[in-house]
Amino acid sequence: MTSFSVNSEKPAGAPEKSKLALAKLEIVFNRLFAVLLVLFAIPLFLNIYTLPTIVICTVFACFLLFGKKYRPFANIIFLIFAAGIYFFPITPIGWGLYHNLKESRLDGFNFYTISTLFGLAPLIFVTLAVRNVLGNILAYFKTNTVWRNVYYLISLFIVLVALLAYPLFDSVKLRERAMEDGGGNKLSFVLTKQELKHDGSSTALSRDYIARFDPASNKYVYRLYLEDPLAESIAFTAVETDGEKINFITDGRAECLNCKKDKSNPYGLVFPTGKNIDFIIISDRLIKNIKFTETGDKAADFFFWK
């Protein structure tokens, strides 16, 4: 009687499975996250300037959906984009996940905002891009399917927690040069024009909104210097520091060379035509945000924390 034995050995001549091939669980989860990435990228269409981010997320979703093996070069390229989306706060195109998470901490963990909705797709993209590189590295050393599946889930969890936790525990520091989140307002236009005119010179920092800590007086000094005389006056209905309006009649924190006070509005201020402006605020504490609101509710925000 002939007996047959079943073993795990491959038949002679069978092709050896590449160690870079994805395990079934990796493929399933990658496809799941590809679908979620596309769904969470839909809100980004509310801002046409996020189109580059939408394209990156869509390409990456296709990569996850149809990929059946690790591709080192592609994973490195996506990792570079992930670093940019996470660390560089380019607000118009939806970058700066780290900055947004840290800001939510400063705002008291208020996640019921539109920025939270915009941040879901970048979070998935960055998490999977980092995890793919880690999985790619492991694939060169371990081929056991069970271990690969366990490592996929553990590394995915660790990466996600690390990305969320790092901005929440990182210390808040003074940014010497303000990061502006302006829009269609006169002040942003003047600053942009001034920056373009003097770009590359050694005094570049003196023309934007800068900040420093003065150890002699133990105070923070914030200075907005417009060295070119204004061709058109700029009227502000309010100037706020961390949401608190400055009363230019009674508040001694603010000084402004060549500025005019609005007699009908104690919170109003005017940068007049034909004058260079030197606006200074001196504070006992770190100011995270200074907001200039022009007539017509057009605002220019300057962030001084990092």
Side-chain angles (χ1 to χ4, degrees), residues 2-302:
T2 305
S3 62
F4 296 93
S5 61
V6 179
N7 55 56
S8 59
E9 294 183 3
K10 297 179 180 180
E16 184 179 354
K17 186 178 180 180
S18 171
K19 57 185 176 182
L20 294 180
L22 298 175
K24 288 185 178 180
L25 182 138
E26 292 176 308
I27 293 176
V28 170
F29 270 82
N30 278 357
R31 291 177 177 176
L32 172 63
F33 283 113
V35 174
L36 291 176
L37 183 57
V38 171
L39 292 176
F40 288 133
I42 293 176
L44 296 178
F45 282 97
L46 294 174
N47 178 7
I48 191 61
Y49 295 108
T50 61
L51 185 59
T53 307
I54 295 172
V55 172
I56 293 173
C57 289
T58 303
V59 172
F60 187 64
C62 293
F63 177 75
L64 294 176
L65 190 63
F66 300 108
K68 294 185 178 180
K69 62 181 295 186
Y70 286 108
R71 300 186 182 279
F73 179 75
N75 285 333
I76 292 174
I77 295 298
F78 284 124
L79 180 65
I80 293 173
F81 278 112
I85 289 176
Y86 188 75
F87 287 110
F88 293 96
I90 308 176
T91 305
I93 64 174
W95 288 24
L97 183 60
Y98 165 84
H99 180 273
N100 292 337
L101 289 171
K102 199 168 184 179
E103 187 174 21
S104 69
R105 157 193 163 190
L106 299 178
D107 291 340
F109 298 101
N110 179 19
F111 296 110
Y112 298 99
T113 61
I114 191 67
S115 60
T116 301
L117 190 61
F118 284 168
L120 292 175
L123 179 61
I124 293 176
F125 172 74
V126 175
T127 302
L128 268 295
V130 175
R131 203 234 65 85
N132 275 359
V133 171
L134 296 178
N136 207 148
I137 294 173
L138 179 75
Y140 285 107
F141 301 97
K142 299 288 183 180
T143 57
N144 183 278
T145 301
V146 175
W147 174 250
R148 287 268 292 268
N149 291 340
V150 172
Y151 181 79
Y152 181 96
L153 297 175
I154 293 177
S155 62
L156 182 66
F157 176 77
I158 291 176
V159 170
L160 178 60
V161 170
L163 291 175
L164 292 174
Y166 176 52
L168 304 184
F169 290 97
D170 190 25
S171 60
V172 178
K173 301 175 183 177
L174 178 67
R175 182 187 294 273
E176 295 181 353
R177 184 177 183 179
M179 181 183 70
E180 185 186 356
D181 182 18
N185 52 79
K186 293 181 181 179
L187 182 57
S188 295
F189 175 77
V190 169
L191 280 172
T192 301
K193 184 178 179 180
Q194 188 169 266
E195 180 70 14
L196 290 174
K197 176 181 176 181
H198 301 280
D199 187 32
S201 67
S202 60
T203 59
L205 291 180
S206 69
R207 290 183 306 280
D208 285 317
Y209 215 145
I210 61 172
R212 64 182 177 87
F213 178 76
D214 183 11
S217 60
N218 201 34
K219 293 183 183 295
Y220 293 91
V221 181
Y222 303 83
R223 185 188 185 201
L224 173 63
Y225 179 54
L226 304 177
E227 65 176 6
D228 296 329
L230 295 175
E232 183 180 355
S233 64
I234 307 177
F236 302 102
T237 57
V239 179
E240 303 171 59
T241 59
D242 292 337
E244 178 186 356
K245 291 183 179 180
I246 296 177
N247 188 320
F248 292 102
I249 306 299
T250 61
D251 199 330
R253 293 178 299 166
E255 301 175 5
C256 191
L257 178 65
N258 293 327
C259 294
K260 293 181 179 179
K261 298 177 182 179
D262 187 345
K263 296 181 180 179
S264 62
N265 176 17
Y267 304 107
L269 191 68
V270 178
F271 289 176
T273 305
K275 301 289 186 179
N276 62 319
I277 303 299
D278 196 357
F279 182 79
I280 298 174
I281 295 178
I282 300 176
S283 174
D284 294 325
R285 59 180 176 80
L286 175 110
I287 296 175
K288 297 183 288 293
N289 168 256
I290 297 179
K291 180 179 180 180
F292 289 78
T293 303
E294 300 175 11
T295 52
D297 292 329
K298 296 179 180 180
D301 284 285
F302 298 89

